Amino acid sequence: MPLSVAVSGASGYAGGEILRLLAAHPEVEIRTVTAHSNAGQPLIDHQPHLRSLRHLTLQPSTPEVLAGHDIVFLALPHGQSGQYTDALADTALVIDAGADHRLTSPDDWNAFYGGDFHEPWTYGVPELLVADGTGTGTGKQRDKLVGASRIAAPGCNASTVALSLAPGVAAGVIDPSDIVSVLAVGPSGAGKSLKTNLLAAEILGSANPYAIGGTHRHIPEILQALRGAGATGDIRISFTPVLVPMSRGILATSTAPIADGVTDAQIREAWESAYADETFVQLLPEGSFPRTADVAGANTALMGLAIDRAAGRVVVVTAVDNLAKGTAGAAIQSMNIALGLAETTGLSVNGVAP
């Protein structure tokens, strides 16, 4: 018997992507979709690409409507998911695609988000390296997801940068005190609400930096992930996202100084060993670098690695679909692990081209 699923925020981009992927998942049944201002309207009016779900109507996003399902996905604006935590206490699995349960530090939450701080949930990036705390080994975040009942799906920019750099941090081949990350990102990451800076007339033919100078909300999430991977001492990152005219995608270029005495072979081995057995995070052959077009619609992070000896830095270029691997795909991949299903169920490494 399939597991019953409710998706809150189903009229938005993240909610729509969760529904798109769940619609092909053999172990679940999407029974309920909810929204706020769009409640009462057919789902198909807001997600016209989801033809197999055209029978569903958006219901109000209330605890009473969401309760009674095996799994609930919350695809709500930051600061709105936490209100459902207590009300869904009897739900076997709740997955939050917002930021409310990602951060472990109340100080970080207050500095970058504000409002009520909610308890951190298990972080939903299975491939992320996690130090064992003894200094003698590193595992993966997927081990913590086994049997989890509360999962915080990642911020798309944050998980992209963390996956890019965690192997170097864990292996001690880079210096995390001088990280620079510049990301080309599509506007779908900002959600569906109407904003002047996201109008076609504003973004077509233009590239626009935003959240400059250490103000982006994903920064503490990146630092938290890198500390978890074993980074010690000062961790500093200059993080600059740039809005570009593509509906989906992130192309993250991250650099960090090469640690003293490290060879080129040791550097590449750090990334190769970290991701050699991973289905959804793939290191490309030496000299190859990804394009965002190669991951559109896929639950895949493609990564290219360069060693710039003249600058003394490692360069990692990573491409993801911000709505798929960056958000919805990571959430469903984590769901599969938590439920003891095959990790790849309902997910594909294949993108859509052209």
Side-chain angles (χ1 to χ4, degrees), residues 3 25 27-28 70-73 91-96 121-127 140-153 329-345 347:
L3 298 166
H25 197 293
E27 302 295 337
V28 305
D70 297 312
I71 306 166
V72 172
F73 287 86
T91 302
L93 178 58
V94 182
I95 302 172
D96 184 13
W121 289 356
T122 306
Y123 194 48
V125 185
E127 303 90 351
K140 294 286 182 71
Q141 181 66 15
R142 69 165 43 84
D143 297 331
K144 299 185 178 183
L145 286 162
V146 175
S149 63
R150 298 292 183 269
I151 296 171
I332 293 168
Q333 185 182 348
S334 299
M335 177 196 77
N336 288 338
I337 296 168
L339 296 174
L341 304 174
E343 192 170 328
T344 58
T345 306
L347 300 170

Side-chain angles (χ1 to χ4, degrees), residues 14-99:
E17 189 72 354
I18 290 169
L19 291 170
R20 182 181 76 87
L21 296 176
L22 287 177
H25 197 293
E27 302 295 337
V28 305
E29 177 189 358
I30 302 167
R31 292 190 185 170
T32 302
V33 291
T34 77
H36 287 281
S37 60
N38 297 317
Q41 301 175 29
L43 173 68
I44 202 72
D45 287 357
H46 297 274
Q47 308 289 6
H49 60 299
L50 300 179
R51 306 312 300 177
S52 67
L53 303 179
R54 61 188 181 276
H55 60 286
L56 294 173
T57 297
L58 292 164
Q59 300 184 47
S61 286
T62 66
E64 293 76 18
V65 171
L66 294 173
H69 298 81
D70 297 312
I71 306 166
V72 172
F73 287 86
L74 302 172
L76 302 171
H78 304 318
Q80 294 189 19
S81 299
Q83 63 184 304
Y84 296 101
T85 301
D86 292 339
L88 296 175
D90 294 332
T91 302
L93 178 58
V94 182
I95 302 172
D96 184 13

Side-chain angles (χ1 to χ4, degrees), residues 9-289:
S11 60
Y13 287 137
E17 189 72 354
I18 290 169
L19 291 170
R20 182 181 76 87
L21 296 176
L22 287 177
H25 197 293
E27 302 295 337
V28 305
E29 177 189 358
I30 302 167
R31 292 190 185 170
T32 302
V33 291
T34 77
H36 287 281
S37 60
N38 297 317
Q41 301 175 29
L43 173 68
I44 202 72
D45 287 357
H46 297 274
Q47 308 289 6
H49 60 299
L50 300 179
R51 306 312 300 177
S52 67
L53 303 179
R54 61 188 181 276
H55 60 286
L56 294 173
T57 297
L58 292 164
Q59 300 184 47
S61 286
T62 66
E64 293 76 18
V65 171
L66 294 173
H69 298 81
D70 297 312
I71 306 166
V72 172
F73 287 86
L74 302 172
L76 302 171
H78 304 318
Q80 294 189 19
S81 299
Q83 63 184 304
Y84 296 101
T85 301
D86 292 339
L88 296 175
D90 294 332
T91 302
L93 178 58
V94 182
I95 302 172
D96 184 13
D100 292 30
H101 297 280
R102 292 175 191 159
L103 298 182
T104 60
S105 166
D107 291 340
D108 285 344
W109 176 265
N110 290 333
F112 285 85
Y113 291 93
D116 293 336
F117 176 77
H118 298 281
E119 64 174 331
W121 289 356
T122 306
Y123 194 48
V125 185
E127 303 90 351
L128 185 65
L129 290 165
V130 178
D132 63 7
T134 67
T136 60
T138 304
K140 294 286 182 71
Q141 181 66 15
R142 69 165 43 84
D143 297 331
K144 299 185 178 183
L145 286 162
V146 175
S149 63
R150 298 292 183 269
I151 296 171
C156 53
N157 297 313
S159 61
T160 303
V161 174
L163 287 169
S164 297
L165 296 174
V169 167
V173 299
I174 63 172
D175 175 3
S177 68
D178 184 19
I179 296 168
V180 178
S181 291
V182 179
L183 294 79
V185 302
S188 59
K192 226 178 194 180
S193 59
L194 183 61
K195 300 173 184 176
T196 300
N197 67 310
L198 300 181
L199 295 174
E202 301 292 333
I203 66 173
L204 292 178
S206 182
N208 308 287
Y210 66 99
I212 304 164
T215 61
H216 197 283
R217 289 174 166 179
H218 287 177
I219 290 174
E221 188 178 339
I222 296 168
L223 298 178
Q224 178 176 291
L226 294 181
R227 291 190 190 99
T232 58
D234 288 338
I235 311 175
R236 292 196 295 267
I237 182 169
S238 173
F239 179 90
T240 306
V242 180
L243 192 67
V244 298
M246 58 182 181
S247 59
R248 289 172 174 253
I250 297 172
L251 189 72
T253 302
S254 300
T255 78
I258 299 169
D260 291 342
V262 174
T263 68
D264 289 8
Q266 289 172 319
I267 294 170
R268 187 158 187 91
E269 170 60 22
W271 273 263
E272 287 179 342
S273 62
Y275 299 131
D277 297 325
E278 295 293 348
T279 299
F280 295 121
V281 180
Q282 300 177 14
L283 179 66
L284 299 180
E286 190 169 355
S288 296
F289 298 90

Side-chain angles (χ1 to χ4, degrees), residues 17 20 248 291-300 321 348-354:
E17 189 72 354
R20 182 181 76 87
R248 289 172 174 253
R291 310 174 305 168
T292 55
D294 301 330
V295 296
N299 191 53
T300 312
D321 182 326
S348 177
V349 296
N350 297 323
V352 178

